[in-house]
Amino acid sequence: MAESKKPELFELSNGKITAKLTNLGATITSLLVPDAKGDLTDVVLGFDSLDTYLHENPAYLGCIVGRVANRIKEGKFKLNGVEYSLAINNPPNSLHGGNKGFNKVLWEVTEHKTGENPSITFKYHSKDGEEGYPGDVTITATYSLPSSSSLKLDMEAVPHNKATPISLAQHTYWNLAGHSSGDTLDHSIQIWATQFTPVDETAIPTGEKKAVTGTPFDFLKENKVGSRINEVPGGYDHNYVLDCGEEKSGLKHVAKVKDPKSSRVLNLWTDAPGVQFYTGNFLDGIAGKHGAKYGKHAGLCLETQGFPNAINQQNFPSVVVEPGETYKHTMLFEFSTE
């Protein structure tokens, strides 16, 4: 398909779930999911205008972030003897790929299938030196509806000529009661992680892995998002070590989220080592879709990822990908009611 020079909207639908996506940032702009009665509601935060995603989306609603998701300490790392400097766009650190990360670029649509198993593939070529990162990298992101009740995202990245850190994340904000229904503190969540990575005052992991037991980070048993959020300064914005979820088809169970009002349930599966659980702490009345105002905690993010600042932490799983290797990262979102 021809390369698009402007943001456009695309649709995937299977009769039960309807997703709207844009080639700007390979972003999910809308996702209609049924409740127990079959009533459809849009369960992701977003904007009416595609321009807003480009110019006024500091909270990264719905997009894919990269080349490296999350924070890199002081925007610096060393690889193969070379020091690299990145934009300090979240002082004192670099966040989500820099000033113009993958969320702000136009991706090419290489395939768009309709019918029973609809899918769309976005492709982007990141150049050597882009936002300070080494080497040319080709990235693809394929969204599909593999069943009547699931959305899947398959991300791949291939470095061409230099080793580079790569860690992509999908930054959708979820509100299973509906994007405009208020805060998510009443949602319940279970996270299959016995450990998390504590952070310093600038949200950079200290390098240790800490047991969640006996802390407000313990969601091994289902609990309300807001049950202990006041014990976490600022709210949840932490990486969990995915170490105890059951596996199916090569993916680990990450989390289960439930909204008591609509009975909607989201189960998330991935092959990534970590997940950032973020409770929308910085949402401050953003003007969203259809006149909605997104205040604090209006949505929650479950960003499966490599660990934050892993490029500078020897004891974290490596995010370096060598030429000839392929980075792969799959997310499966399963919707149900209970």
Side-chain angles (χ1 to χ4, degrees):
M1 293 173 78
E3 193 164 351
S4 178
K5 297 296 182 205
K6 64 180 199 302
E8 288 184 57
L9 211 49
F10 303 88
E11 187 174 286
L12 299 179
S13 187
N14 59 12
K16 283 272 169 66
I17 292 179
T18 300
K20 287 191 175 160
L21 307 115
T22 174
N23 54 324
L24 175 65
T27 298
I28 300 173
T29 64
S30 162
L31 188 65
L32 297 175
V33 176
D35 66 6
K37 297 191 202 102
D39 293 335
L40 293 172
T41 298
D42 186 353
V43 296
V44 303
L45 275 52
F47 302 112
D48 289 324
S49 158
L50 295 182
D51 271 357
T52 312
Y53 285 95
L54 183 58
H55 301 295
E56 302 165 55
N57 189 13
Y60 301 89
L61 267 59
C63 53
I64 289 181
V65 293
R67 183 178 300 193
V68 175
N70 217 300
R71 292 169 181 87
I72 292 179
K73 185 176 182 176
E74 293 167 4
K76 287 185 170 37
F77 67 91
K78 197 171 181 179
L79 186 58
N80 295 337
V82 181
E83 287 200 12
Y84 294 94
S85 288
L86 314 169
I88 308 294
N89 61 324
N90 185 247
N93 304 310
S94 191
L95 177 68
H96 290 332
N99 289 328
K100 189 181 178 184
F102 295 173
N103 58 302
K104 285 190 180 174
V105 299
L106 286 174
W107 298 51
E108 181 188 353
V109 177
T110 57
E111 189 173 52
H112 186 192
K113 289 184 194 163
T114 53
E116 249 177 67
N117 298 105
S119 67
I120 188 165
T121 299
F122 298 103
K123 183 178 181 181
Y124 178 64
H125 184 81
S126 178
K127 295 183 178 60
D128 182 21
E130 185 176 318
E131 284 298 321
Y133 287 96
D136 294 277
V137 180
T138 300
I139 303 102
T140 57
T142 299
Y143 291 93
S144 59
L145 302 179
S147 78
S148 65
S149 57
S150 59
L151 168 73
K152 193 178 186 195
L153 170 59
D154 291 290
M155 295 176 272
E156 290 197 2
V158 179
H160 296 289
N161 38 30
K162 288 180 189 171
T164 180
I166 301 173
S167 178
L168 307 179
Q170 214 299 338
H171 210 296
T172 287
Y173 288 75
W174 302 95
N175 187 326
L176 298 180
H179 76 99
S180 59
S181 66
D183 71 52
T184 52
L185 297 178
D186 207 32
H187 280 44
S188 62
I189 187 166
Q190 186 170 5
I191 303 173
W192 278 271
T194 66
Q195 303 174 95
F196 73 107
T197 51
V199 292
D200 66 18
E201 63 282 358
T202 73
I204 293 287
T206 59
E208 65 177 318
K209 295 175 191 167
K210 188 175 176 183
V212 298
T213 312
T215 77
F217 298 94
D218 185 350
F219 288 98
L220 287 166
K221 288 194 175 73
E222 201 173 303
N223 208 332
K224 295 247 184 263
V225 170
S227 58
R228 294 152 299 167
I229 197 168
N230 294 335
E231 298 170 41
V232 181
Y236 295 100
D237 190 6
H238 294 75
N239 173 65
Y240 282 74
V241 180
L242 297 173
D243 58 3
C244 63
E246 62 169 309
E247 285 203 28
K248 69 168 181 188
S249 313
L251 303 178
K252 290 173 292 198
H253 205 171
V254 176
K256 174 189 173 184
V257 184
K258 183 182 172 184
D259 164 49
K261 292 194 282 282
S262 65
S263 301
R264 277 189 197 88
V265 174
L266 164 61
N267 277 285
L268 172 59
W269 302 74
T270 194
D271 51 2
V275 63
Q276 189 84 2
F277 174 43
Y278 173 53
T279 44
N281 314 321
F282 297 109
L283 298 174
D284 57 0
I286 291 171
K289 290 178 276 199
H290 318 308
K293 283 270 187 283
Y294 302 143
K296 197 173 187 181
H297 312 313
L300 60 86
C301 301
L302 289 163
E303 307 155 59
T304 58
Q305 61 180 4
F307 294 1
N309 196 39
I311 188 68
N312 292 312
Q313 285 287 358
Q314 296 308 304
N315 61 323
F316 283 179
S318 174
V319 292
V320 175
V321 187
E322 302 282 345
E325 296 178 342
T326 300
Y327 163 93
K328 291 185 177 181
H329 179 182
T330 293
M331 304 176 81
L332 178 64
F333 305 92
E334 292 186 324
F335 299 94
S336 56
T337 56
E338 65 176 44

